[in-house]
Amino acid sequence: MRLDPVALFHDAATTVPAYRHFLAERGVDAAGVRTRSDFAALPVVTKENYVQAYPLPERCRGGSLDGCDTVALSSGSSGQPTVWPRRLVDELAATERFAEVFRTFGAHERRTLAVICFPLGNWVGGMFTAAACRHLAAQGFRLTVATPGNVVDEILRVIDALGDDFDQTVLLGYPPFVKNVVDRGSGWAERRLKLVFAGEVFSERWRDLVAARAGIDDPVTHTAALYGTADAGVLGIETPSSVRRRRELSGTTFSGGRLPTLVEYDPGHRYFETDGDALLFTADGAVPLIRYDIGDEGGLLPGNLVYVYGRRLFAVSLYGANVYPENVAEALEADDLVGWTTGRFVLRTPESDDGDRYLDVTVELAPGSDGDGREALVAEAVRAYLPRVNSEFAHYVPVARQLPVVHFRPVGDPDNFPLGVKHRYSR
């Protein structure tokens, strides 16, 4: 059974005060929306024109938070959280996606220790994942859930204490953090480790590197990525077939040589569209979302497949935290920096030879300035500022990884700061 986006639209237009007002402001007659073509002509909903424009209760059915069991937070460019309420039924829908992953791992038959390595608290990754895994255990999966959060020593302590009592161990977390855990630990082959990732696109070379260090002999069936968001929970999952297809695309010129995450989605719970290079989705929940543009770039393929490059709206992702240009721009406005830099820069999160991602900031020097070896000064200014204004960066990125690598380039550098064109702050 497939989600009927037209029916969900009419339900939201009738029961959700904010969406009713949103449509009225744009002159939309809900009664005239009868077909998928009519639906495709509806205005796109964004965080700016809807989520930030209406009070939270008005974005819920009946204009009330009644029936919402819990909340999750996502952090925006200012570091101020956006609150997303959830219901038990929303968690159960996401649990079906987790079930597919854990069934591939054989967790319905084998004693499995699931270790939650996402940040805990109100951040969506940790609590949402822990809840879904506990629901699986209640459904009969041979699953025990441990929640050390994103503290490497605690994770290893839990595994050392419990690992021998299970047939396999599953680590669930943001890709670079899971790699840190693998690099710090040992004896993984005996744990028959499996890995579940979320939050960032990674290369197939990276998958193979981490799998080898984790003693995983089949990365296709023993690792999986989730495509999820605080806005609507899990949107899609990697399956062995989607990973194989992605590996076939690796190294090709797929969409300009970029390799997206490729996931399967459940058409019974999610309806996807594209608007140019923007992914739109429609999903029910405590806050129903109709033709919602989350800011992800990607597209659709036959077989209920979605490919995702990540956020197209300038942010880069590190350890699952969105790092926004305005955060860095404010750091570069310090009195001891503005005199010899232009304020323009480029953010990247490249991969080191050892497979670790890091924040790379290329800064444009003012005319006549050579930087005079002050890269460390800029790096420290960014490191000190980001955790203060970006709560995801502060909570998600380990302190040892918060110092960026800084490069200087002369004004008008053609590779980073070409003259006469609109500047791109992230690559």
Side-chain angles (χ1 to χ4, degrees), residues 78-114:
S78 67
Q80 295 300 312
T82 299
V83 179
W84 295 98
R86 285 205 315 272
R87 308 166 301 178
L88 177 61
V89 67
D90 303 325
E91 290 183 349
L92 294 176
T95 298
E96 296 179 25
R97 308 285 75 73
F98 280 91
E100 294 178 53
V101 173
F102 277 91
R103 192 171 287 110
T104 299
F105 293 166
H108 56 304
E109 299 173 336
R110 305 187 192 107
R111 296 170 302 164
T112 302
L113 176 64

Side-chain angles (χ1 to χ4, degrees), residues 311-322:
R311 297 291 163 89
R312 69 186 186 281
L313 301 177
F314 305 120
V316 297
S317 182
L318 185 69
Y319 284 81
N322 289 320

Side-chain angles (χ1 to χ4, degrees), residues 134-210:
R134 293 192 69 189
H135 290 317
L136 287 182
Q139 293 173 12
F141 278 74
R142 301 186 67 185
L143 202 61
T144 298
V145 184
T147 55
N150 61 335
V151 181
V152 176
D153 289 341
E154 283 298 300
I155 293 167
L156 296 178
R157 188 169 71 89
V158 165
I159 294 171
D160 287 342
L162 293 174
D164 291 344
D165 298 323
F166 292 87
D167 299 323
Q168 62 181 356
T169 297
V170 181
L171 303 182
L172 303 97
Y174 294 117
F177 185 80
V178 170
K179 179 181 180 296
N180 285 357
V181 175
V182 170
D183 287 345
R184 286 272 302 276
S186 60
W188 294 120
E190 290 75 18
R191 303 293 189 204
R192 289 174 288 281
L193 200 62
K194 312 294 187 296
L195 305 175
V196 177
F197 308 110
E200 296 184 18
V201 179
F202 52 82
S203 68
E204 288 302 314
R205 172 188 173 275
W206 185 91
R207 190 198 302 268
D208 288 342
L209 183 152
V210 175

Side-chain angles (χ1 to χ4, degrees), residues 203-427:
S203 68
E204 288 302 314
R205 172 188 173 275
W206 185 91
R207 190 198 302 268
D208 288 342
L209 183 152
V210 175
R213 295 184 181 184
I216 295 173
D217 57 3
D218 185 3
V220 171
T221 60
H222 292 169
T223 69
L226 307 176
Y227 172 36
T229 168
D231 312 49
V234 178
L235 298 174
I237 61 169
E238 280 191 335
T239 62
S241 60
S242 74
V243 174
R244 290 188 188 99
R245 188 166 182 183
R246 185 175 191 255
R247 289 166 82 86
E248 292 171 359
L249 296 170
S250 184
T252 71
T253 57
F254 186 87
S255 189
R258 301 164 66 198
L259 185 66
T261 296
L262 183 62
V263 299
E264 294 185 15
Y265 70 94
D266 180 1
H269 292 95
R270 304 288 184 250
Y271 180 76
F272 277 97
E273 305 169 83
T274 56
D275 181 15
D277 64 358
L279 272 177
L280 310 181
F281 68 82
T282 294
D284 198 0
V287 175
L289 295 171
I290 311 296
R291 306 200 76 223
Y292 184 60
D293 181 357
I294 195 175
D296 282 337
E297 180 182 357
L300 306 177
L301 294 173
N304 299 328
L305 291 175
V306 175
Y307 61 89
V308 188
Y309 290 110
R311 297 291 163 89
R312 69 186 186 281
L313 301 177
F314 305 120
V316 297
S317 182
L318 185 69
Y319 284 81
N322 289 320
V323 180
Y324 294 84
E326 49 264 53
N327 298 156
V328 177
E330 291 163 357
L332 296 181
E333 291 170 358
D335 291 341
D336 54 350
L337 302 181
V338 293
W340 47 277
T341 64
T342 68
R344 295 205 303 175
F345 55 90
V346 175
L347 299 179
R348 297 178 176 89
T349 52
E351 195 173 285
S352 70
D353 292 339
D354 200 39
D356 292 312
R357 291 204 176 274
Y358 59 95
L359 183 61
D360 182 287
V361 186
T362 300
V363 177
E364 186 179 49
L365 294 170
S369 175
D370 61 3
D372 194 28
R374 288 179 282 189
E375 290 90 346
L377 178 65
V378 175
E380 179 55 31
V382 173
R383 185 213 61 77
Y385 192 77
L386 275 177
R388 300 208 309 267
V389 298
N390 186 321
S391 55
E392 282 186 351
F393 187 89
H395 285 84
Y396 291 7
V397 182
V399 173
R401 303 285 182 177
Q402 291 183 2
L403 186 71
V405 173
V406 172
H407 309 277
F408 292 147
R409 293 292 183 270
V411 65
D413 176 69
D415 293 330
N416 294 278
F417 310 107
L419 299 176
V421 298
K422 186 177 181 179
H423 182 56
R424 293 172 54 206
Y425 281 89
S426 63
R427 305 289 173 85

Side-chain angles (χ1 to χ4, degrees), residues 12-98:
T14 302
T15 65
V16 179
Y19 193 58
R20 191 163 57 241
H21 187 268
F22 175 85
L23 295 173
E25 277 194 325
R26 289 156 179 79
V28 177
D29 178 12
V33 179
R34 299 185 178 89
T35 67
R36 293 286 177 91
S37 296
D38 298 334
F39 181 85
L42 288 170
V44 172
V45 168
T46 68
K47 187 169 285 188
E48 291 72 27
N49 71 13
Y50 186 69
V51 176
Q52 296 174 349
Y54 297 95
L56 175 59
E58 293 186 15
R59 289 182 272 120
C60 301
R61 286 182 175 86
S64 170
L65 288 166
D66 290 350
C68 300
D69 305 304
T70 186
V71 295
L73 304 184
S74 64
S75 182
S77 59
S78 67
Q80 295 300 312
T82 299
V83 179
W84 295 98
R86 285 205 315 272
R87 308 166 301 178
L88 177 61
V89 67
D90 303 325
E91 290 183 349
L92 294 176
T95 298
E96 296 179 25
R97 308 285 75 73
F98 280 91

